[in-house]
């Protein structure tokens, strides 16, 4: 009976899984198990409950969510769990991180391969400009659907092409990894921050005037004098004329304190070497996480820096400073242009605005507008009418806020972030929102209906030091420039044409 009951239990417990467990007999006195019995370098458990040799069951397993089991890792190719035994996997690099990285890399390569195949195709059958226009004229498409589909068509037809970077110093171009690229208002130049081998950063300016439909070449100018400190934040500044300077927030090194520096853009140009370089300013401050330049005439020649638990507004000409205490680090900032209002995003998830015309105040009474995210806010962008504000946080949430009702009106799904300070790029002329995630994918959404239009994989393997930096504009290179997306990753610069 005991033997029959044991066999019945085995049949009920394992017949559905396709495994048959062999019963262990009693060991004879004095029996010593051999080495194969003592060590089980891999113990596998089938994760497919319906794997009876039926090939149709494999598709169900691929689409289902496989739960995590403590002490096991799941091999998607073999569709099994494998137990990690202590002492038997010391030379086996099977960690959760390595398995996830392998899966992400295979996904990236698969997407790149699919992009190569679809270079001459539209996103899906029936999606072409003439058919969309015909459906719109017949009243079969609403204006919202028509605009979104046109954007989807144009975005998915963008093809990646590598840009050739020329430099007066041939030993400079293409030798350092891009970290940040920021375009000026006219999109004629981009300021670049590059990592250097010995630590710190190097700065340069790329002239986009040579970027045409046929020729993809640009000129890069740098200044080797400014090479040592890590850059936390960058923005263009209009001190003597539009975009005449670049504002940098630099971290301190050892006994040297942090500072905010205003570098004249003419320092990076060789067109008129006899010209005066312009005003070069440096303001000693503690570690700054963010910075912004004010273009409103009521706060002329002022810039702001977001520090640890305070906001510092400085007048470059007079040196006058205003300090506003906060309860959290300020990671993102932007000035409004129609009013002298400064918007701030904090590590606590709070977003608040300051009227910089008022004097310093204690407490929270000077906060005009207050919004709240559930995680640290990493980027904020005001839309042109300044009635709406776009914000992203470290939980990967992107929200569009109505500043008049102080309510979230849209959410843009798909962004990935856990701890990095990643910017948002809003192009209202084309109706697009662009953001690069911590997973190194560049995602483009429709501003109007929050639909994810395209996910672009990085040309390089994903890693913490290879997150792309992008710029999107309707006129790259100035008024007669070409529309598209610029992507800087590692030592390369790419252009995605948007026609």
């Amino acid at each position: 009976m005991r033997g029959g009951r044991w066999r019945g239990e085995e049949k009920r417990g394992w017949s559905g899984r396709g495994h048959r467990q062999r019963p262990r007999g009693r060991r004879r006195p004095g029996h010593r198990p051999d080495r194969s019995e003592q060590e089980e370098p891999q113990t596998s458990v089938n994760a497919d409950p319906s794997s009876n040799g039926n090939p149709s069951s494999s598709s169900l397993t691929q689409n289902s969510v496989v739960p995590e089991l403590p002490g096991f890792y799941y091999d998607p190719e073999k569709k099994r769990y494998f137990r990690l035994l202590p002492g038997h996997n010391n030379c086996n690099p099977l960690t959760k991180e390595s398995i996830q990285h392998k899966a992400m890399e295979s996904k990236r390569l698969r997407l790149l391969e699919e992009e190569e195949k679809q270079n001459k195709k539209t996103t899906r059958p029936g999606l072409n400009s003439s058919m969309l226009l015909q459906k719109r004229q017949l009243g079969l498409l609403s204006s919202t659907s028509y605009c979104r589909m046109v954007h989807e068509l144009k975005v998915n037809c963008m093809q990646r092409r590598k840009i050739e970077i020329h430099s007066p110093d041939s030993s400079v171009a293409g030798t350092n990894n891009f970290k940040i690229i920021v375009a000026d208002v006219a999109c004629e130049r981009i300021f670049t921050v590059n990592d250097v081998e010995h630590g710190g950063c190097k700065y340069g300016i790329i002239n986009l005037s040579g970027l045409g439909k046929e020729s993809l070449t640009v000129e890069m100018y740098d200044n080797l004098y400014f090479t040592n400190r890590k850059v936390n934040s960058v923005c263009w500044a209009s001190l003597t004329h539009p975009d005449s300077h670049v504002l940098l927030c630099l971290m301190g090194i050892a006994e040297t304190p942090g500072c905010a520096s205003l570098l004249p853009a003419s320092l990076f140009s060789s067109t008129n070497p006899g010209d005066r370089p312009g005003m070069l300013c440096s303001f000693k401050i503690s570690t700054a996480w963010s910075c912004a330049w004010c273009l409103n005439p009521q706060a002329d020649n002022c810039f702001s820096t977001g520090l640890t638990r305070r906001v510092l507004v400085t007048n470059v000409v007079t040196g006058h400073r205003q300090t506003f205490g906060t309860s959290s680090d300020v990671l993102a900032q932007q000035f409004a242009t129609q009013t002298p209002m400064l918007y701030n995003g904090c590590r606590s998830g709070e977003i608040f605005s300051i009227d910089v015309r008022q004097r310093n105040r204690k407490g929270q009474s000077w906060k005009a507008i207050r919004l709240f995210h559930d995680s640290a806010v990493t980027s904020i962008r005001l839309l042109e009418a300044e009635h709406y504000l776009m914000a992203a946080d470290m939980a990967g949430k992107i929200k569009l806020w109505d500043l008049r009702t102080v309510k979230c009106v849209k959410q843009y799904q798909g962004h990935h972030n856990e701890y990095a300070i990643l910017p948002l790029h809003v192009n209202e002329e084309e109706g697009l929102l662009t953001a690069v995630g911590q997973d190194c994918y560049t995602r483009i959404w429709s501003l109007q209906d929050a639909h994810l239009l395209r996910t672009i994989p990085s040309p390089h393997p994903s890693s913490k030091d290879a997150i792309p930096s992008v710029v999107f504009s309707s006129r790259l290179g100035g008024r007669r420039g070409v529309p598209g997306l610029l992507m800087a990753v590692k030592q390369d610069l790419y252009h995605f044409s948007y026609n």
Side-chain angles (χ1 to χ4, degrees):
M1 290 294 292
R2 294 179 73 175
R5 187 170 64 251
W6 182 88
R7 280 192 293 271
E9 289 174 357
E10 180 222 350
K11 184 176 182 180
R12 288 193 301 271
W14 288 93
S15 62
R17 296 182 182 270
H19 284 268
R20 197 169 274 280
Q21 182 173 347
R22 296 173 60 185
R24 293 184 181 179
R26 293 184 178 180
R27 294 180 179 175
R28 297 187 301 274
H31 171 72
R32 297 182 63 185
D34 57 12
R35 186 178 183 87
S36 62
E37 290 179 338
Q38 287 180 335
E39 297 182 0
E40 295 183 50
Q42 258 188 353
T43 303
S44 66
V45 180
N46 198 326
D48 189 355
S50 59
S51 60
N52 300 319
N54 184 6
S56 63
S57 64
S58 61
S59 61
L60 292 174
T61 308
Q62 290 177 353
N63 295 331
S64 61
V65 178
V66 181
E68 293 186 6
L69 298 181
F72 289 80
Y73 80 93
Y74 178 73
D75 191 327
E77 296 178 357
K78 298 181 179 180
K79 301 177 185 177
R80 288 185 177 183
Y81 290 99
F82 289 94
R83 187 171 65 181
L84 302 177
L85 299 179
H88 295 288
N89 292 279
N90 294 334
C91 300
N92 193 359
L94 290 175
T95 63
K96 183 178 180 181
E97 291 76 14
S98 63
I99 294 170
Q100 289 178 346
H101 185 271
K102 181 181 177 181
M104 289 177 60
E105 182 62 14
S106 62
K107 177 184 176 183
R108 185 187 71 87
L109 294 175
R110 186 179 70 253
L111 288 176
L112 287 175
E113 185 178 354
E114 291 175 358
E115 283 192 348
E116 292 293 331
K117 293 180 181 179
Q118 294 182 355
N119 274 344
K120 297 182 180 180
K121 300 179 182 179
T122 57
T123 54
R124 59 177 183 268
L127 186 62
N128 58 69
S129 56
S130 59
M131 185 171 293
L132 290 178
L133 182 59
Q134 185 178 5
K135 288 183 178 181
R136 174 61 181 150
Q137 291 173 344
L138 293 174
L140 300 178
L141 285 177
S142 64
S143 59
T144 302
S145 299
Y146 175 74
C147 291
R148 196 257 297 167
M149 287 185 175
V150 168
H151 290 148
E152 182 180 351
L153 175 65
K154 296 173 70 176
V155 165
N156 282 277
C157 289
M158 292 165 54
Q159 299 182 19
R160 184 182 74 249
R161 296 174 62 189
K162 190 174 181 180
I163 296 176
E164 186 177 352
I165 303 175
H166 293 166
S167 174
D169 184 358
S170 59
S171 63
V172 170
T175 57
N176 301 111
N177 294 337
F178 286 102
K179 181 183 177 184
I180 303 172
I181 61 172
V182 182
D184 60 7
V185 175
C187 282
E188 297 175 346
R189 302 164 294 172
I190 57 174
F191 184 80
T192 68
V193 179
N194 300 67
D195 290 326
V196 293
E197 296 180 357
H198 56 76
C201 298
K202 183 181 68 174
Y203 324 130
I205 284 182
I206 293 181
N207 190 342
L208 301 178
S209 59
L211 195 63
K213 295 182 180 179
E214 299 178 359
S215 174
L216 288 179
T217 59
V218 293
E219 294 288 337
M220 181 172 185
Y221 305 94
D222 59 9
N223 193 312
L224 299 179
Y225 179 73
F226 306 97
T227 55
N228 53 357
R229 301 196 199 181
K230 180 183 176 181
V231 179
N232 273 352
S233 183
V234 182
C235 71
W236 285 86
S238 301
L239 185 57
T240 56
H241 56 272
D243 296 328
S244 61
H245 288 65
V246 177
L247 177 62
L248 298 160
C249 289
L250 308 177
M251 290 191 66
I253 301 177
E255 298 180 356
T256 306
C259 71
S261 294
L262 272 171
L263 303 182
S266 56
L267 286 175
F268 302 90
S269 175
S270 60
T271 54
N272 296 311
D275 290 350
R276 294 181 59 187
M279 184 181 295
L280 175 63
C281 308
S282 182
F283 302 89
K284 292 183 180 180
I285 54 175
S286 57
T287 299
W289 301 102
S290 57
C291 63
W293 182 266
C294 184
L295 295 174
N296 187 276
Q298 297 185 62
D300 199 20
N301 299 325
C302 287
F303 71 91
S304 175
T305 47
L307 312 178
T308 301
R309 297 194 174 187
R310 62 193 178 106
V311 174
L312 185 63
V313 179
T314 305
N315 188 300
V316 177
V317 178
T318 64
H320 179 260
R321 290 186 172 187
Q322 286 180 282
T323 303
F324 300 88
T326 66
S327 58
S328 180
D329 303 341
V330 180
L331 305 182
Q333 290 185 312
Q334 186 181 3
F335 274 100
T337 55
Q338 299 178 10
T339 58
M341 300 290 291
L342 172 64
Y343 290 84
N344 306 268
C346 297
R347 192 183 297 277
S348 63
E350 181 185 10
I351 302 172
F352 62 88
S353 62
I354 303 172
D355 189 338
V356 296
R357 293 170 295 186
Q358 61 186 335
R359 297 182 178 180
N360 305 6
R361 294 186 189 178
K362 296 181 180 180
Q364 310 294 324
S365 59
W366 43 264
K367 293 183 178 180
I369 295 177
R370 301 182 72 182
L371 312 171
F372 295 94
H373 277 235
D374 295 329
S375 183
V377 177
T378 60
S379 179
I380 55 176
R381 285 292 177 268
L382 282 166
L383 275 64
E384 287 184 6
E386 298 184 357
H387 297 314
Y388 296 91
L389 181 138
M390 191 83 68
D393 60 32
M394 285 191 184
K397 304 292 184 182
I398 301 178
K399 298 181 179 182
L400 180 65
W401 293 88
D402 189 331
L403 298 178
R404 295 162 295 184
T405 61
V406 198
K407 291 183 179 180
C408 175
V409 293
K410 283 188 180 69
Q411 290 198 44
Y412 299 80
Q413 305 292 337
H415 186 52
H416 179 78
N417 191 14
E418 294 177 357
Y419 58 81
I421 299 179
L422 302 171
L424 293 174
H425 306 273
V426 178
N427 188 294
E428 291 190 74
E429 183 176 350
E430 300 293 343
L432 299 176
L433 166 67
T434 307
V436 180
Q438 193 178 320
D439 55 359
C440 299
Y441 285 90
T442 302
R443 294 175 175 86
I444 303 176
W445 294 265
S446 168
L447 267 181
Q448 194 168 16
D449 61 2
H451 183 79
L452 179 61
L453 302 178
R454 184 174 176 182
T455 300
I456 303 175
S458 172
H460 292 267
S462 58
S463 63
K464 294 179 181 179
D465 59 346
I467 299 178
S469 182
V470 300
V471 167
F472 189 95
S473 174
S474 305
R475 290 175 293 274
L476 289 172
R479 292 182 179 178
R480 299 182 180 180
V482 293
L485 175 76
L486 284 182
M487 176 187 292
V489 54
K490 287 291 188 178
Q491 300 174 1
D492 300 324
L493 187 64
Y494 299 93
H495 176 250
F496 293 77
S497 60
Y498 182 77
N499 296 316

